[in-house]
Structure formats: C-alpha cells, structure tokens
Amino acid sequence: MTTMTDPPGRGFRLSQLIYDTRYRSMTIQVVAMILLMLLFSWLVSNTIHNLQNLGKDFDFGFLSQPSGYDINQRLIDYNSQSTHGRAALVGIINTVLVAFLGCALATILGVIAGVLRLSNNWLVSRLMAVYVEGFRNVPLLLWIVLIFALMTESTPAPSAFRGENPDSTMLFDVFAITNRGVYIPAIHFGTPFFDNGFFNWLLVLIVLGASIFGIQRLRHWATEKQEATGARPTTWYFILGLLVIPTAILMVLMGAFWDIPSLQGFNFGGGIHLRNSLIALWLALSLYTGAFIAEIVRGGILAVSKGQTEAAYALGLRPGTTMNLVILPQAMRVIIPPLISQFLNLTKNSSLAIAVGYMDVRSTLGGITINQTGRELEGMLLLGLFYLVLSLLISGAMNIYNASVKLKER
Amino acid sequence: MKKTVILGALTVAGLAAGAASAATLDDVKARGNLNCGVSTGLTGFSAPDANGVWQGFDVAVCRAVAAAVLGDPMAVEFVPTTGQTRFTALASGEIDMLARNTTWTFSRDNDLKFEFVGVNYYDGQGFMIPKELGVSSAKELDGATVCIQTGTTTELNLADFFRVNNISYEPVPIETNAEAQQQYLAGACDVYTTDASGLAATRASFEAPGDHVILPEIISKEPLGPLVRHGDNEWGDIVRWTLNALIAAEEYGVTSANIGELASAPGNNPEINRLLGTEGELGAMIGLEADWAQKAIMANGNYGEIFEKNIGENTPIGLSRGLNAQWTDGGLMYSPPFR
C-alpha cells in the first residue's frame, strides 16, 4: 500500500522576501511606504517641535479677531472692524474677480492672435509673432510692474482736472483716466426693489437669462420651420426686442440712472473706480497668458488636416466661415486640455498682485493678516487650500466642457 | 527594532537642532559675522552709501553689537527686509537681530514671541502732503488717497484715526519706502503716512523738500527699537546692554574722541570704569570680553554722536533730539545703571 504524501512543505523563509519574485515587489512597496510615513511623521513632529521652541501654538482663532486694517477694493461690506476671516473673504473675491476677467480677456486675445499668426498677410502674422514672442519670453512680474508704472506716470493726477482751464478733460465727459485708476459711469437704482444692490442686479440677470432662453426657443422654432418649409422666417427684430425690451422695462421700473464720476474733494467720486492695480494686473495677466494661448490655438489649428480646409473651399465656403464652422470646432479638442493649464496658471499668477498693491487673497490673508497676527503657518495653509480648491474647481468645470466638445466616436 | 533606532536618531537630531538654534551668541561667534535685519533703504536710518557700505542710525546699532560680540564693527551681514518679511526673517533665524524702525507693541512682544531690547528712537506717526493742496490739518483729509506701507503699525493706526474722526480715505498699499516715495511724487497718492522720522528722512531725499509739508498731527506713539527672538535670554541681554551702553556713554560724557583715554586706566567715576571694563566683571556676566562696551562705543560713537551724524539737525534729515534727548536734558533716553 502506498500512500501519496504531499511534497514536504518548505516553510516560509525570511530571505524569500528579497529573493522570491512573488514577494519582492510587495517588500519594496512596504519598505517605501514605511520610509514615506517616517518622512511625513518627521516633518510634522519637526514642525510641532519648532513651533514649541518659538513658543507658538497652532490656532485658527485669529480669523474671528478684528482685522484693524482697511482694504481699498471691496466688493462686499468690509471695514477695519471686520474680522480677519472677512478680510480673507474680500481678498478671495478680489482674486476670483481678476482671475475671471483675466481668463476671459486672455482667451479672446489668444484665439485672435493664434488665428492671425497663421494669416497669409505677412505683416499681420509677423506682428502677432512679435506679440507672442515678446510676452512669452519676458517674466510676468516685469509686465505687471511696467503696465502699472506706465499708468501711474503717464496719466494726469485728479488735480489736473480742476479749475477753469484744466490741463486734462474727461473722455466723452463720462470717463476719467487718472493716475489713480479709471473712473467709469455706473448704473444705480433709484427705486430699488431690494435695499441690497446685489439682489437688484440678480433680478436683472434673471430677466436677461429668461430673455436669452426665449431667443434660443425662437431660433429653434425658426430652424424647424426652415426644415419643414425651406424658408427661414426673419427673426432678427424679434431677437433684438426680446433681448432689450424686458430688461429695459425692468430697469426703468427700478429707476435706473447713470452715476457719472465727478471731482469730489481730493479724488473723483461716483461711478465705478477701476484701480490702476486692478487694470495693470488684469492687462498683464491677460496679455501674458494670451500669448501662450495663442500658441496653443495655433497648434490646434495646425493639427487639423489641410484637406479639411481644401474640402470646405471646394464646397464654396469662405475663409472666415471655414475657420468658424470647420477648423476651430475640430481644433477645440486639441486646444482645450492645455487651455485648462493656462487658466490655472493665470489664476495662480494673480498672486503677483502684491507687486502693485492689488488686494487679493495673497495680500490680505497671506500678507497683512499673517503679518499682524504672526500666524504664518495657519495663514499659508489656508492660502494653499484656497488656491487648491479654486484650481480644482476651474479644472473640473473645464473638464466638463472638454467632455462636451471632444470628438464623439460612434 | 530598526524603526525605533531611526526614530531615536531623528529625535536626537531634532533636539540637537533645537538646542543649537537657542544659543545665538555661539552661532554668531562660529559664523564670524552678525546677520542683522534692516529696512530696504531709508536715508539716515539704514541705506547703503555710494561705496555700498550700509550707513545709518539703525545700522549703527547692528555695528555696535557686532563690535561688542566679535570685536569688528564691519562683521555684519545686512539683510534688507520689508514690513512684511521682517518678522518671518527673525522668527526663522535668518537674522540674529532686527534693527528696522520697528514699533514695540504688546502683540509683537507677546503674540509674535519677540523680545524688544529697548527703544532707540521715540517716534509717532505723521502725514506728509504737497504744499499746493493747501491742507493744514490731518482732519481735512476726508476722501484723500493715502500711501501706506503694509504690515506695519501705521496701517492699523491710520484705519483707527480715520474711523474715529469719521472721515474716509482710500488706502494704497505698498511694500517699501522707495516705492511709496515714487508713488507719492507721481501724485498717485495725496498723502504719505509713516513714522514722522521716516517722513523727514524721505522728504530730505526729495529734489524740492520745501514743496511738501508734514502735518502737525502725530496720531500715535511709535517707540522704535531693536528686537530679537523670544527664548534666548542671553542673546537678548547682549543686544539690550549694548544699546544701553551707547545711551549711558552719552550720559557719562564718553565719546569716540575721549574713550581711548578713559579706557586706558580706571578713572574716578566708577560707573564709567565698569562700563569700559577697567573695573568689575560686567563683560564676563554676559559672556563677552571685559572691553565689550568700549568696542561697541568705538564703532560709531555714543548714542548722541550716532544721532547727530545720521539724522541730527545738521544732516539733511534734520531731526531735533526732542523726546530722544537724554533724561538729564528733558528727554526720554535713560539707561539703567551699569553696576
């Protein structure tokens, strides 16, 4: 009788962790993990230790303390008795404002410059090349400071507008361009539905949104009619009416009037004050990022096969129509992913605002607040968190857009 | 087992690093020079001259400390700091001491964990405005655009002053004095506000100083003085008593002219003898040579000489002693006794 026995089980030996390929990769990962955790624990314990040495604690309580300083550009209520937290919020809104304005203008500049750089017109394409290379190859900070200096040094002070025969006069009697910024007329409401201007504007926006929705329905209807009968009904006056009339009626009801800037005391008063710091930062960010976007757009257009252009011309389309209907839509899927990076760059670069005294979140939370309270670590962590969240939001929104325009394969 | 060893080693390394950072005096001696934080350039207080050598009232304190500790007034590495970077530079150990028109306040002393060693200039915040605007009082500044250095006490005082007087203003935040000067001269702001001494120093560097007036209101107390990190009391004592030595030297009539003679042999004034190290053991008590104060005074002269040479009435800045005279002359300068 024979009995089958299992081959003698060879026990697990420690050396297998290194020499046995079944275990080796696990060993390496475990060791790397331990080292990584040690590094982090060392960083944290070192920070705690150093803070203790300095006699400091880790506390976010400063955010609810009165800030004590003023901020010139505030889009929400704020004064020097408000909290550091609110000062940070004012800064955040200012950052978002300049990032939004910058992204919008940079996209417009970039697309135009990118398309024109491929122009057959020698002069136009060379001019665009000069713009792109000029802005791409000089640091952004220099552009910000240069534009700010130009605006401060070359424009008149408000005092030049004073007197019987002033040295300077207002542009069209409504715009005042001074070395403290540009004053433009504002719309105010005489009989507000709400006390808060923000809600009044929200109401106007809602009506405008409803009008645009109506216009889209009208276009849809016209297209259906065209497909059914072959003739497209004339709709432009309906569209114009829908766009203007409801909003206009609402504005009149609310007693809207122009608030034109005028000399008051030391400065101009009334209207909207676009500070030099905002304009310099906005223009510099837009021009700088626009140069990069131009290259991205150029690359995107070149990525579309030349045959597409030729085919479109063969169908009798004009160059402008070809670009808008054939080339750009196809170029978009190449353009958008790098465009997202440029938007993120612009947003983060807005922290250079400190160079011209624009009160963004870097200047309020990351500058004055940290300086007055001595909470560097807490402030910088919050600042980092804010930029992280903002970048993720922008990137998320752009990725949704990207998914909607990318090549749909069936 | 292995992990414990690594953790243990890390702990030891961390403790060693912590202990090393506590003894600033040893660090300075080992390094052979003093890292001193100064402003980025304010004529009379701290600015490099035509040869690139830092000169000024605040700079003199750094040189005196370097002379007392290292025996060489030139063994100073000057680190220009702005209103915003100065405290981080000091807290992180990038500089050993800060001598930069910094106001001694409660929160800086306690919350920011610094140690002010004394006052080298009693100041107050003022306003400068072009004469042509015809303003004679700060209360008439309703609606004015004001240039202000951010991260300073002046920024907070300004907000309080305008709030209390119920008038409005438009702050233009800027980083450095040079930038403020450029903005102010370009007319981008109507008013420049900072410590009155800083205004005088700035105005002195203008092409036409007479076109600008400093308004009579002084809206705050700004005791300016050098400071060090909290927690290293020995180092704090050295900087404190170096400053006191300069002040006491003026009181006792010890000048750079007669110090050689006075220090050669003990005289009949025991306080001068102890100050100059010809009697007693004061130097050893703070871990320095016996002639530490003598070297400190020889670096730039006594407090009065430093004042006259850099910011006094015969300089373009033209500040009178005022509050900064010796207590014997009706001022606030008062050194505790050397005994």
Side-chain angles (χ1 to χ4, degrees):
Chain A
M1 192 170 114
T2 52
T3 46
M4 287 290 286
T5 50
D6 288 330
R10 295 173 62 196
F12 177 77
R13 279 167 296 118
L14 223 51
S15 61
Q16 276 182 305
L17 284 179
I18 297 172
Y19 297 113
D20 192 329
T21 46
R22 284 174 298 174
Y23 302 115
R24 187 163 27 189
S25 64
M26 292 286 274
T27 316
I28 293 173
Q29 290 191 43
V30 166
V31 169
M33 185 70 192
I34 290 175
L35 285 178
L36 200 66
M37 282 167 62
L38 273 178
L39 178 74
F40 275 114
S41 69
W42 177 74
L43 274 178
V44 170
S45 80
N46 200 24
T47 309
I48 294 172
H49 181 78
N50 281 342
L51 278 177
Q52 267 174 355
N53 263 3
L54 287 170
K56 288 187 172 179
D57 55 351
F58 193 75
D59 181 15
F60 286 100
F62 70 97
L63 285 175
S64 57
Q65 303 289 322
S67 61
Y69 60 90
D70 283 301
I71 299 176
N72 50 17
Q73 177 176 306
R74 40 185 191 266
L75 302 181
I76 54 171
D77 283 336
Y78 172 85
N79 60 47
S80 60
Q81 295 307 98
S82 307
T83 61
H84 280 296
R86 192 150 183 98
L89 187 63
V90 173
I92 285 173
I93 293 175
N94 285 347
T95 295
V96 172
L97 174 76
V98 80
F100 176 79
L101 290 175
C103 286
L105 185 61
T107 312
I108 297 170
L109 284 174
V111 171
I112 294 175
V115 170
L116 289 187
R117 198 172 175 186
L118 292 170
S119 165
N120 291 327
N121 185 322
W122 187 87
L123 187 65
V124 169
S125 68
R126 285 305 174 281
L127 269 180
M128 286 305 132
V130 168
Y131 158 65
V132 169
E133 298 307 332
F135 274 87
R136 235 161 44 120
N137 295 308
V138 175
L140 173 57
L141 187 61
L142 291 188
W143 288 115
I144 297 178
V145 173
L146 179 74
I147 296 180
F148 185 69
L150 271 180
M151 296 190 11
T152 310
E153 301 284 350
S154 65
T155 50
S159 56
F161 291 81
R162 217 171 273 138
E164 283 293 303
N165 281 312
D167 297 337
S168 312
T169 48
M170 290 169 74
L171 198 62
F172 308 123
D173 279 339
V174 288
F175 299 104
I177 299 167
T178 73
N179 60 0
R180 290 167 196 182
V182 177
Y183 295 81
I184 60 170
I187 297 177
H188 283 294
F189 299 115
T191 50
F193 287 17
F194 302 98
D195 281 339
N196 191 328
F198 174 73
F199 288 115
N200 285 318
W201 278 111
L202 200 65
L203 202 62
V204 172
L205 271 183
I206 289 171
V207 172
L208 203 64
S211 296
I212 289 170
F213 180 72
I215 289 168
Q216 275 180 343
R217 298 299 311 160
L218 192 72
R219 282 217 176 112
H220 191 68
W221 168 80
T223 311
E224 275 184 352
K225 188 107 176 168
Q226 185 182 19
E227 276 166 7
T229 65
R232 193 178 177 88
T234 318
T235 53
W236 66 267
Y237 43 85
F238 283 121
I239 290 176
L240 201 66
L242 259 179
L243 194 66
V244 174
I245 294 171
T247 316
I249 290 175
L250 179 75
M251 301 266 271
V252 169
L253 274 179
M254 292 169 102
F257 63 91
W258 285 106
D259 182 16
I260 293 172
S262 60
L263 269 176
Q264 289 168 11
F266 290 95
N267 290 319
F268 276 89
I272 297 173
H273 181 191
L274 300 175
R275 285 173 182 76
N276 271 349
S277 51
L278 170 65
I279 298 176
L281 190 65
W282 177 29
L283 286 185
L285 282 174
S286 306
L287 286 167
Y288 181 78
T289 313
F292 287 89
I293 293 179
E295 287 296 89
I296 292 171
V297 169
R298 186 167 71 107
I301 292 172
L302 288 177
V304 177
S305 157
K306 186 125 177 61
Q308 297 282 326
T309 317
E310 285 163 357
Y313 286 172
L315 286 172
L317 293 182
R318 293 174 184 212
T321 328
T322 308
M323 182 57 79
N324 285 334
L325 294 180
V326 180
I327 310 298
L328 274 183
Q330 296 186 75
M332 279 309 236
R333 64 199 163 92
V334 186
I335 292 174
I336 294 198
L339 192 64
I340 301 176
S341 305
Q342 291 304 326
F343 283 176
L344 295 183
N345 276 349
L346 188 145
T347 306
K348 288 177 292 174
N349 283 343
S350 71
S351 58
L352 289 169
I354 189 80
V356 287
Y358 179 74
M359 298 301 275
D360 72 335
V361 68
R362 162 75 185 78
S363 309
T364 59
L365 175 66
I368 305 177
T369 291
I370 283 182
N371 209 264
Q372 303 291 8
T373 59
R375 300 282 174 187
E376 292 99 348
L377 193 63
E378 293 92 329
M380 281 301 160
L381 279 179
L382 283 179
L383 203 60
L385 190 70
F386 163 71
Y387 279 112
L388 181 68
V389 169
L390 185 64
S391 295
L392 288 179
L393 280 179
I394 293 172
S395 153
M398 289 296 292
N399 275 321
I400 291 172
Y401 177 65
N402 188 33
S404 75
V405 297
K406 77 174 177 201
L407 193 64
K408 303 212 172 35
E409 291 171 348
R410 294 187 173 89
Chain B
M1 166 70 183
K2 212 170 198 174
K3 199 173 158 186
T4 340
V5 171
I6 294 173
L7 274 181
L10 284 174
T11 317
V12 169
L15 284 176
S21 69
T24 314
L25 177 60
D26 297 338
D27 282 357
V28 172
K29 278 185 174 162
R31 205 188 302 129
N33 69 353
L34 173 76
N35 289 336
C36 194
V38 289
S39 76
T40 50
L42 180 61
T43 321
F45 285 87
S46 58
D49 65 10
N51 302 319
V53 181
W54 284 82
Q55 300 288 357
F57 187 71
D58 286 330
V59 166
V61 178
C62 302
R63 296 221 187 272
V65 173
V69 174
L70 302 165
D72 177 9
M74 301 311 281
V76 188
E77 180 77 35
F78 288 99
V79 180
T81 58
T82 68
Q84 290 220 17
T85 60
R86 54 186 166 177
F87 297 131
T88 317
L90 182 59
S92 67
E94 189 187 339
I95 52 178
D96 304 311
M97 59 175 286
L98 181 68
R100 190 202 175 277
N101 306 81
T102 299
T103 308
W104 187 350
T105 70
F106 184 95
S107 64
R108 286 174 181 175
D109 206 331
N110 298 298
D111 195 27
L112 299 194
K113 304 293 177 196
F114 293 128
E115 193 170 331
F116 283 81
V117 301
V119 175
N120 69 336
Y121 193 92
Y122 288 95
D123 209 342
Q125 183 178 351
F127 297 94
M128 177 165 64
I129 189 160
K131 212 173 231 172
E132 59 174 12
L133 287 178
V135 172
S136 59
S137 158
K139 301 218 168 115
E140 297 167 21
L141 290 177
D142 193 11
T145 305
V146 184
C147 275
I148 173 91
Q149 291 187 48
T150 68
T152 59
T153 49
T154 47
E155 184 170 50
L156 306 179
N157 299 332
L158 183 74
D160 284 346
F161 176 79
F162 277 84
R163 185 168 52 82
V164 168
N165 286 294
N166 212 7
I167 47 181
S168 66
Y169 71 108
E170 156 102 12
V172 177
I174 34 144
E175 260 309 71
T176 64
N177 193 62
E179 214 179 306
Q181 186 172 330
Q182 183 252 326
Q183 293 277 305
Y184 173 78
L185 287 177
C189 43
D190 300 305
V191 189
Y192 178 35
T193 181
T194 186
D195 298 339
S197 62
L199 288 180
T202 307
R203 187 171 68 160
S205 61
F206 287 177
E207 271 178 34
D211 292 350
H212 303 271
V213 285
I214 292 172
L215 297 179
E217 280 91 350
I218 295 293
I219 63 167
S220 66
K221 286 187 291 187
E222 309 282 343
L224 309 177
L227 58 153
V228 296
R229 268 183 301 281
H230 204 90
D232 187 354
N233 296 349
E234 284 73 25
W235 177 247
D237 287 340
I238 290 171
V239 182
R240 172 177 300 113
W241 285 95
T242 305
L243 178 64
N244 283 336
L246 299 178
I247 296 169
E250 187 188 17
E251 185 189 341
Y252 304 147
V254 180
T255 66
S256 49
N258 66 13
I259 190 167
E261 184 193 333
L262 288 170
S264 58
N268 52 12
N269 185 335
E271 203 140 12
I272 294 180
N273 294 343
R274 284 193 292 268
L275 175 67
L276 299 181
T278 50
E279 188 183 317
E281 295 269 302
L282 295 191
M285 290 180 201
I286 54 172
L288 297 178
E289 313 274 318
D291 61 348
W292 64 280
Q294 188 190 328
K295 288 184 207 144
I297 297 162
M298 267 157 60
N300 307 279
N302 64 33
Y303 179 82
E305 289 176 272
I306 293 170
F307 195 103
E308 289 315 318
K309 193 169 76 187
N310 294 300
I311 55 177
E313 277 171 331
N314 297 323
T315 65
I317 295 155
L319 294 170
S320 60
R321 285 296 288 268
L323 288 176
N324 297 294
Q326 288 289 331
W327 66 286
T328 45
D329 299 334
L332 293 173
M333 280 298 152
Y334 187 102
S335 163
F338 278 76
R339 92 167 33 251

